[in-house]
Amino acid sequence: MAKKYVYQFSEGNGSMRELLGGKGANLAEMTNLGMPVPQGFTVTTEACTQYYNDGRAIRAEIQAEILEHLTKLEEITGKQFGQPANPLLVSVRSGARASMPGMMDTILNLGLNDTVVEGLAAFTSNPRFAYDSYRRFIQMFSDVVMELSKKRFEEIIDAKKAEKGVKLDTELDTDDLKDLVVRFKKFYRDEKGEDFPQDPHVQLMEAVKAVFRSWDNPRANVYRRMNEIPYDWGTAVNVQSMVFGNSGDSSGTGVAFTRNPATGEKALFGEYLINAQGEDVVAGVRTPSPISKLHEEMPAVYDQFAAIANKLEQHYKDMQDMEFTIENGKLYMLQTRNGKRTAAAALKVAVDLVDEGMISEKEAVLRVEPKQLDSLLHPQFDAEALKKAAVIGKGLAASPGAACGQVVFTAEDAKQWHDAGKKVVLVRLETSPEDIEGMQVAQGILTVRGGMTSHAAVVARGMGTCCVSGCGEIVVDYADKKFTLSGRDYYEGDWIAIDGSTGSIYGEAIPTVPADVASGDFGRFMGWADQYRQLQVYTNADTPRDAAQGRAFGAQGIGLCRTEHMFFEGERIKAVREMIVADNTADRKKALDKILPYQQGDFEGIYEAMEGCPVVIRFLDPPLHEFLPTKEEDIREIADELGITVEKLHNVIDGLHEFNPMMGHRGCRLSVSYPEIAEMQTAAVINAAICVQKKHPEWKMVPEIMIPLVGELKELKFVKDVVVATADRLIAASGLEMRYEVGTMIEIPRAALTADEIAREAEFFSFGTNDLTQMTFGFSRDDAGKFLGYYYDNKIYESDPFAHLDQKGVGKLVDMAVKLGKTTRPDIHLGICGEHGGDPTSVEFFHKTGLHYVSCSPYRVPIARLAAAQAAIKFPR
């Protein structure tokens, strides 16, 4: 039996998301529920995959199936595609299984040509509407399908409005719109060297190809990498009979949510425009009216819509994001999906749905994306500073949070400034999908146009980025790189601040304070997450301050304390340099004796902050050259400070030079060469634990010492013997009974391959997936960014392996090491402390692999807690 590539809406249902995409599955589900859905059909995601397999061509049998379903649609609607009498027009829209708002393309009013438009005008007795639809179609088709400049069409419209002396598109009459059609077609012919296509069947196939093609456009690829959506999923295409919100004052179009997507409040929330099509709302060209006003303008339509919205939320048991059109007073539902929402709203909705008896606690935990929590964990404006700051303007509170940065006006500049280490606020008339990279790196987004459901608002909420939209008082001058508000000019580089929770705009920098995340919905929700997760969550911390921050965010221990970070401060760096330049053991020990009290004091502070929780301390890891100067003036100054000749310091620096220092004399190799380093660090760890244990007898101190960069059992044993001899001597002298553990970081492939041997000496493994990834791929993590873009473009890799664990390769080494280690030491403690410890998909992998804990930076601790809970619910072990 031949594979089926096309489904009428009536043939599908909500469970067919992988095949029909999210939009197609939900249109089918709404059809089954008896809702007023304009009928149509879905070309499946498998057809998209086939399109790419066939060299970006739609094979003949798929085209035939599309035309067969088009004929069925003609029968359902009683209209004829491409015929002037009662013509059938369609929309062609993308629909991936994961929501990707604004990332792919849409074409409306397809099926119009010079003949059909006249028939439509006569059939509807509304020639203005007909020609408005035709000019829209030419513009969208030329932009999306033929890749002509969208801006040029806008310029043609603006020129026409200027000639007429009007400001709004709706003020153009029928003759004006006919003239625009002529001008649009001339521009098309000048650019393409051929006339605008008049065959609706050609239009349809080209539009389907364009939607498939948009799956691979730059903004969609960036969005997929950000949201970990696999390239091979593909997108479905929905071909739906048109209903017209632009057919007069009893028509309109809108977007609405069953709950407020910014706050989570349970109330119908949305916007609509009279005499408009859907793109007008999300594009931000006109500022829409709130959905509540529809109750006044069309009470019967509002009541019907409110009832449908409630039914959809009850059916899907989640907040819904809906698109609707009103055609001559009749309501049509064009889409529903689980709504994108801010982190605060996601928590409130999840908690409220539990309280309303709609979902369980476990289901609630699965409803919030872990990385969304990031937006709740970062600072808000300092309340006292905010009182003194003057509000210079107000927009819509589109995405909450506080943002402060220097003004930039383009996405490209935002990225460049961010890469240079600057904080920026991106100011735009309105954003478009092309701005995605600039939006991603900006502290906040400020737009002149657009409402709460504009592109800027929806994408910012999904990113957790602060956004104020629709501040119509702003006048932007892109040419001079400035905007004017409240009588003052703000130029590129000026500091401003925006409050996405209130819509307030400030013409100055405002200090921020940490967010409070311990109570309310956050505390309750995270309590559920902690109840269900099986992985423990530790933090990476090198200072008491970082340790306290991690603890405040729920860390149950420290999985990585990097001792070398403590070496760079003040007097310490001088002692470290004395150690490095020493050419005999006695002088090295003398220098190390100076470092010992600093290290011990740091460890005591960290132990105090962690209140008896586990602390894993990694011994010195980086190559020694990192502690020495490179500039000649610094070399002279430090040689003088150390009391040695410049020539000797040059000789030391030259002697430490390595062609590949990340694979050179570092980690445990330093302690093999200079065991006195391991002696000093062991003494600092154990003495600190003894002091804190005596001060807090209620805490059970178990110091955990991690030897880095081990690749051979005998190497580990050599360093461990030094540690054990020193630790046992100090503990015996203290009179305390204290247990300690010595383990290793698995970050060299050979260590993973021989983990059964290494486990004879290692009491715990901590996977250092940063270096393990680096050594497995043969990539430098500092340099890979220079070429990975080419790998994304050519679909070799879909994501940065340093951001998301490579489960096929690096993950296989982790899994192998876990299994081998357990064969030798069944009770071995297993953790991970690379950047992947705070990445949700990697956390899921570590849960399934059987690790005991993940460790990540303090601000990612709540993210890891939630990711661990979701993994445990989805994959119980």
Side-chain angles (χ1 to χ4, degrees):
M1 183 177 169
K3 180 180 281 190
K4 185 175 172 63
Y5 285 104
V6 186
Y7 289 77
Q8 293 291 142
F9 293 166
S10 56
E11 295 180 289
N13 60 62
S15 68
M16 298 171 69
R17 173 178 289 268
E18 290 187 13
L19 189 64
L20 303 180
K23 187 174 294 183
N26 288 340
L27 284 167
E29 191 75 2
M30 285 197 292
T31 296
N32 295 338
L33 291 169
M35 293 181 175
V37 175
Q39 283 303 288
F41 54 87
T42 301
V43 186
T44 65
T45 56
E46 290 180 346
C48 179
T49 304
Q50 194 64 53
Y51 164 83
Y52 283 102
N53 290 342
D54 291 339
R56 300 193 179 218
I58 303 178
R59 55 174 53 186
E61 57 263 41
I62 297 177
Q63 293 195 41
E65 201 175 338
I66 290 171
L67 295 178
E68 176 190 329
H69 282 268
L70 181 64
T71 301
K72 289 182 182 177
L73 184 58
E74 289 178 321
E75 294 168 3
I76 292 168
T77 61
K79 299 181 178 184
Q80 294 291 307
F81 189 66
Q83 298 301 314
N86 194 13
L88 170 64
L89 303 184
V90 296
S91 64
V92 181
R93 295 182 170 197
S94 63
R97 69 170 91 166
S99 176
M100 295 173 61
M103 294 303 114
M104 289 180 294
D105 292 325
T106 294
I107 302 99
L108 304 179
N109 308 309
L110 189 141
L112 283 169
N113 58 24
D114 293 348
T115 306
V116 172
V117 70
E118 292 178 9
L120 182 65
F123 183 80
T124 60
S125 301
N126 191 343
R128 189 199 178 281
F129 148 70
Y131 280 93
D132 182 51
S133 299
Y134 194 20
R135 70 93 184 166
R136 289 171 182 269
F137 171 57
I138 294 171
Q139 185 175 352
M140 288 185 104
F141 188 90
S142 300
D143 168 28
V144 171
V145 180
M146 306 309 292
E147 300 178 328
L148 296 182
S149 168
K150 182 179 180 180
K151 183 181 177 186
R152 281 290 293 119
F153 286 99
E154 293 293 343
E155 288 171 354
I156 294 170
I157 295 172
D158 288 343
K160 185 66 184 177
K161 287 191 290 190
E163 289 171 21
K164 288 280 292 187
V166 300
K167 289 187 176 180
L168 300 176
D169 297 358
T170 50
E171 295 175 287
L172 296 173
D173 62 23
T174 305
D175 289 338
D176 298 326
L177 294 168
K178 285 182 176 181
D179 185 45
L180 278 181
V181 167
V182 171
R183 295 187 191 192
F184 281 5
K185 286 163 60 182
K186 181 182 184 302
F187 171 63
Y188 183 96
R189 186 170 56 252
D190 291 345
E191 291 293 311
K192 302 299 291 184
E194 60 187 25
D195 288 333
F196 187 82
Q198 294 291 301
D199 184 341
H201 292 88
V202 170
Q203 295 171 358
L204 177 60
M205 290 305 167
E206 290 301 318
V208 172
K209 285 182 198 170
V211 173
F212 284 159
R213 193 169 64 234
S214 72
W215 177 251
D216 194 30
N217 71 34
R219 64 180 184 265
N221 287 328
V222 168
Y223 189 91
R224 272 200 302 278
R225 281 201 299 278
M226 285 165 50
N227 293 278
E228 300 169 59
I229 299 171
Y231 177 77
D232 61 11
W233 279 5
T235 181
V237 178
N238 298 289
V239 179
Q240 188 173 23
S241 54
M242 281 294 301
V243 287
F244 300 97
N246 62 324
S247 58
D249 290 341
S250 61
S251 302
T253 188
V255 177
F257 299 81
T258 54
R259 302 182 188 227
N260 187 314
T263 67
E265 178 190 1
K266 186 179 182 181
L268 201 56
F269 176 91
E271 300 167 324
Y272 72 100
L273 281 169
I274 291 294
N275 197 14
Q277 289 197 330
E279 292 302 300
D280 297 340
V281 180
V282 296
V285 175
R286 289 161 56 192
T287 299
S289 302
I291 193 76
S292 56
K293 196 176 179 197
L294 186 63
H295 193 269
E296 302 168 19
E297 294 194 331
M298 301 182 193
V301 170
Y302 177 86
D303 289 343
Q304 182 189 5
F305 178 74
I308 288 173
N310 184 59
K311 184 175 180 180
L312 286 171
E313 182 172 279
Q314 293 290 326
H315 181 76
Y316 286 103
K317 301 187 186 304
D318 201 354
M319 176 189 111
Q320 293 301 291
D321 168 2
M322 303 156 292
E323 291 182 19
F324 64 93
T325 286
I326 305 157
E327 182 183 83
N328 300 323
K330 180 172 171 54
L331 175 69
Y332 293 93
M333 299 299 296
L334 303 184
Q335 173 175 295
T336 192
R337 60 188 175 193
N338 293 339
K340 294 283 185 185
R341 63 206 85 173
T342 64
L347 289 175
K348 179 168 175 53
V349 169
V351 170
D352 286 353
L353 289 176
V354 171
D355 291 342
E356 291 164 25
M358 210 180 293
I359 60 174
S360 66
E361 290 177 1
K362 277 187 177 180
E363 289 173 306
V365 168
L366 294 174
R367 290 291 172 85
V368 179
E369 293 181 26
K371 63 184 177 183
Q372 268 194 298
L373 298 180
D374 193 40
S375 63
L376 296 176
L377 309 177
H378 292 284
Q380 301 293 311
F381 287 136
D382 176 80
E384 290 304 312
L386 202 57
K387 287 178 187 175
K388 299 171 188 173
V391 176
I392 60 169
K394 283 279 250 188
L396 301 174
S399 184
C404 179
Q406 293 173 274
V407 172
V408 293
F409 292 95
T410 69
E412 294 79 9
D413 286 341
K415 190 164 189 314
Q416 285 180 8
W417 286 47
H418 172 268
D419 291 347
K422 297 177 180 178
K423 294 182 177 181
V424 299
V425 173
L426 178 62
V427 180
R428 303 283 292 158
L429 278 172
E430 70 261 351
T431 64
S432 69
E434 284 77 14
D435 294 324
I436 184 75
E437 287 192 275
M439 296 172 72
Q440 183 185 5
V441 300
Q443 300 293 308
I445 300 157
L446 173 61
T447 70
V448 180
R449 301 174 187 156
M452 296 291 283
T453 52
S454 65
H455 175 266
V458 171
V459 174
R461 282 198 294 270
M463 291 177 175
T465 298
C466 169
C467 177
V468 173
S469 65
C471 181
E473 298 171 4
I474 293 175
V475 177
V476 173
D477 182 343
Y478 286 140
D480 284 348
K481 293 193 173 183
K482 70 173 184 177
F483 74 86
T484 305
L485 181 59
S486 298
R488 181 181 157 189
D489 292 336
Y490 295 87
Y491 288 88
E492 180 181 74
D494 287 347
W495 285 84
I496 64 168
I498 59 174
D499 189 334
S501 303
T502 65
S504 297
I505 305 163
Y506 305 88
E508 59 193 278
I510 302 175
T512 57
V513 293
D516 175 21
V517 295
S519 57
D521 291 336
F522 186 94
R524 189 174 170 203
F525 179 85
M526 294 307 295
W528 296 338
D530 291 339
Q531 178 183 336
Y532 295 114
R533 69 180 164 87
Q534 292 164 299
L535 275 171
Q536 292 184 302
V537 178
Y538 291 4
T539 190
N540 301 338
D542 311 329
T543 66
R545 182 173 172 274
D546 287 347
Q549 183 66 76
R551 193 89 177 99
F553 284 147
Q556 297 164 283
I558 290 178
L560 175 63
C561 175
R562 306 172 185 88
T563 55
E564 62 272 6
H565 287 189
M566 304 165 177
F567 282 12
F568 286 95
E569 294 179 18
E571 286 296 308
R572 308 178 187 201
I573 188 67
K574 182 182 176 185
V576 171
R577 286 166 174 164
E578 287 177 11
M579 174 195 75
I580 294 170
V581 301
D583 49 18
N584 60 73
T585 302
D587 285 347
R588 259 192 305 278
K589 284 189 173 183
K590 193 184 299 180
L592 287 165
D593 286 344
K594 295 179 183 178
I595 301 169
L596 174 60
Y598 293 123
Q599 283 253 286
Q600 181 176 328
D602 287 331
F603 295 148
E604 287 180 25
I606 287 168
Y607 284 142
E608 291 271 4
M610 294 309 294
E611 301 173 313
C613 292
V615 175
V616 179
I617 295 172
R618 183 183 73 183
F619 277 5
L620 186 63
D621 183 50
L624 295 180
H625 77 87
E626 290 191 7
F627 299 99
L628 293 176
T630 55
K631 293 180 180 177
E632 185 62 32
E633 59 267 31
D634 294 334
I635 291 172
R636 291 182 178 279
E637 182 181 334
I638 288 164
D640 185 57
E641 191 177 271
L642 295 175
I644 61 175
T645 66
V646 172
E647 182 184 10
K648 180 174 181 180
L649 185 51
H650 266 299
N651 289 338
V652 171
I653 293 169
D654 291 344
L656 292 174
H657 172 75
E658 294 178 289
F659 288 105
N660 194 338
M662 285 299 98
M663 299 177 74
H665 195 194
R666 55 171 284 223
C668 65
R669 299 158 196 171
L670 293 172
S671 292
V672 170
S673 304
Y674 311 119
E676 51 271 22
I677 295 176
E679 285 178 19
M680 181 278 289
Q681 293 204 286
T682 303
V685 170
I686 299 300
N687 283 338
I690 289 168
C691 288
V692 172
Q693 183 72 81
K694 287 179 177 178
K695 190 175 176 182
H696 298 280
E698 71 279 12
W699 295 348
K700 186 72 173 173
M701 301 296 298
V702 182
E704 296 182 51
I705 293 171
M706 182 157 66
I707 312 300
L709 216 72
V710 164
E712 158 62 42
L713 169 64
K714 288 180 278 189
E715 182 181 42
L716 173 61
K717 185 177 187 313
F718 179 91
V719 181
K720 183 181 176 182
D721 287 347
V722 175
V723 172
V724 168
T726 305
D728 287 353
R729 173 174 53 79
L730 293 172
I731 292 171
S734 73
L736 293 177
E737 286 189 9
M738 179 177 287
R739 191 170 69 83
Y740 62 92
E741 292 185 358
V742 180
T744 189
M745 187 178 268
I746 304 289
E747 52 193 328
I748 292 178
R750 190 179 191 279
L753 295 169
T754 61
D756 50 343
E757 294 182 18
I758 288 174
R760 291 182 211 159
E761 294 292 338
E763 294 168 275
F764 64 85
F765 288 166
S766 179
F767 291 92
T769 53
N770 297 343
D771 267 353
L772 188 58
T773 297
Q774 181 168 246
M775 296 197 188
T776 302
F777 275 88
F779 287 170
S780 162
R781 66 183 182 216
D782 298 318
D783 298 320
K786 295 175 184 175
F787 60 80
L788 279 177
Y790 299 109
Y791 278 66
Y792 305 146
D793 293 344
N794 290 293
K795 308 298 181 295
I796 297 170
Y797 297 136
E798 290 194 40
S799 63
D800 182 347
F802 295 104
H804 309 299
L805 186 79
D806 162 48
Q807 297 182 19
K808 285 185 180 177
V810 179
K812 188 176 286 187
L813 288 172
V814 172
D815 185 59
M816 181 187 302
V818 166
K819 289 170 179 168
L820 288 172
K822 284 181 175 179
T823 60
T824 301
R825 192 184 291 268
D827 62 346
I828 193 166
H829 201 50
L830 302 163
I832 176 266
C833 61
E835 286 302 306
H836 299 110
D839 171 58
T841 54
S842 304
V843 170
E844 182 178 285
F845 173 82
F846 297 133
H847 165 85
K848 290 193 285 188
T849 307
L851 300 194
H852 300 112
Y853 71 86
V854 295
S855 188
C856 54
S857 63
Y859 278 91
R860 294 185 71 81
V861 166
I863 296 170
R865 287 164 63 196
L866 178 53
Q870 293 181 348
I873 292 168
K874 289 189 279 187
F875 305 99
R877 66 185 193 191

